[in-house]
């Protein structure tokens, strides 16, 4: 990441961030702060996606460095900052086989907003979650028992097992692990040429 002009370098990070972000908001650049940034481990292994704002904080704190820039500038009072597109952590972090937080958002993300019974792709607001084994029959709220479902399929299934409702799951629901996140990073990477070399290997 390059600081484009003169007098900014000596600013403490906190003041720097404050002036940067408030100026960015004034300038109407706020949307640029939400652009997705690919996060690489020190080994160049892709590990995450975060918002540009967080990526800039990591770079300014000295935790990460910018590998690619997205062509946008963040304009502040006395300088402009290049917004990163890819950052890399300076120290290697061991990534556990973590499972992400179980949430509606992450289930929809895992299932790519696709009803797992009829394969319709819908906006998040038009989708619900279905317990494969109904809650009323002891089904748990887990990654393996929750799937993305459209409202018509959800009504049709009611309190039945899929087999009883003559419905079939597109695929076995699994927890959202690192493999799944890589898959999603790859899909996002299709739209960003600068991500590709880190994701398609
Ligand atoms: Zn459906």
């Amino acid at each position: 990441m390059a600081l484009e002009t003169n007098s900014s370098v000596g600013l403490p990070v906190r003041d720097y961030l404050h002036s940067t972000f408030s100026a960015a908001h004034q300038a109407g650049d706020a949307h640029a702060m939400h652009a997705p940034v690919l996060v690489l481990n020190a080994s160049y292994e892709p590990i995450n996606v975060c918002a540009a704002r967080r990526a800039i904080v990591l770079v300014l704190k000295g935790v990460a460095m910018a590998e690619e820039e997205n062509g946008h500038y963040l304009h502040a009072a006395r300088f402009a900052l290049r917004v990163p597109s890819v950052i890399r952590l300076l120290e290697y972090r061991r990534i556990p086989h973590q499972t992400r937080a179980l949430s509606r958002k992450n289930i929809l993300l895992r299932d790519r907003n696709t009803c797992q019974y009829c394969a319709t792709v819908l906006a998040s607001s038009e989708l619900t979650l279905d317990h494969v084994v109904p809650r009323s029959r002891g089904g748990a709220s887990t990654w393996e028992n929750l799937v993305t479902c459209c409202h018509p399929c959800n009504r049709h299934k009611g309190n039945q097992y899929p087999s009883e409702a003559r419905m079939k799951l597109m695929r076995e629901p699994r927890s959202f692990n690192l493999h799944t996140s890589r898959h999603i990073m790859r899909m996002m990477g299709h739209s960003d040429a600068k991500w590709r070399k880190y994701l398609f290997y």
Side-chain angles (χ1 to χ4, degrees):
M1 170 165 315
L3 294 169
E4 291 299 299
T5 58
N6 44 46
S7 53
S8 62
V9 181
L11 274 178
V13 166
R14 216 154 153 230
D15 296 349
Y16 176 78
L17 285 176
H18 180 75
S19 59
T20 301
F21 290 134
S22 52
H25 280 280
Q26 283 160 20
D29 289 345
H31 68 281
M33 301 310 289
H34 299 288
V37 174
L38 181 65
V39 183
L40 306 173
N41 213 334
S43 58
Y44 287 91
E45 178 195 17
I47 51 174
N48 203 358
V49 175
C50 73
R53 182 190 172 107
R54 167 129 184 93
I56 289 172
V57 169
L58 291 173
V59 170
L60 293 174
K61 277 181 165 174
V63 174
M65 61 174 284
E67 289 287 336
E68 306 284 343
E69 287 148 357
N70 73 4
H72 287 97
Y73 285 85
L74 187 63
H75 296 282
R78 287 173 297 155
F79 51 86
L81 186 68
R82 287 188 172 128
V83 179
S85 161
V86 179
I87 62 167
R88 184 168 63 88
L89 300 178
L90 296 179
E91 266 182 50
Y92 182 81
R93 273 191 214 172
R94 210 183 69 81
I95 307 296
H97 281 282
Q98 94 276 30
T99 44
R100 290 203 187 188
L102 179 66
S103 67
R104 172 188 147 82
K105 187 177 145 232
N106 281 341
I107 299 252
L108 297 189
L109 195 62
R110 179 196 66 185
D111 296 340
R112 278 158 245 155
N113 279 48
T114 308
C115 172
Q116 294 299 292
Y117 294 105
C118 71
T120 312
V121 179
L122 292 167
S124 304
S125 58
E126 295 176 64
L127 289 163
T128 185
L129 296 183
D130 172 63
H131 285 77
V132 179
V133 175
R135 247 188 309 198
S136 60
R137 295 164 77 171
S141 296
T142 60
W143 283 104
E144 293 78 13
N145 195 48
L146 282 169
V147 293
T148 302
C149 189
C150 71
H151 288 288
C153 284
N154 195 240
R155 276 194 296 274
H156 177 75
K157 183 168 172 285
N159 284 328
Q160 305 172 90
Y161 282 88
S163 57
E164 293 170 341
R166 295 171 191 280
M167 296 166 90
K168 204 172 176 313
L169 282 171
M170 290 172 63
R171 68 174 73 81
E172 191 81 9
R174 288 169 198 271
S175 68
F176 193 108
N177 55 25
L178 196 59
H179 177 76
T180 321
S181 352
R182 276 215 192 98
H183 183 80
I184 286 165
M185 286 191 275
R186 283 203 181 95
M187 294 203 312
M188 292 178 73
H190 274 293
S191 61
D192 190 329
K194 288 181 173 166
W195 288 23
R196 252 175 238 153
K197 63 182 170 194
Y198 304 99
L199 292 171
F200 301 93
Y201 46 82

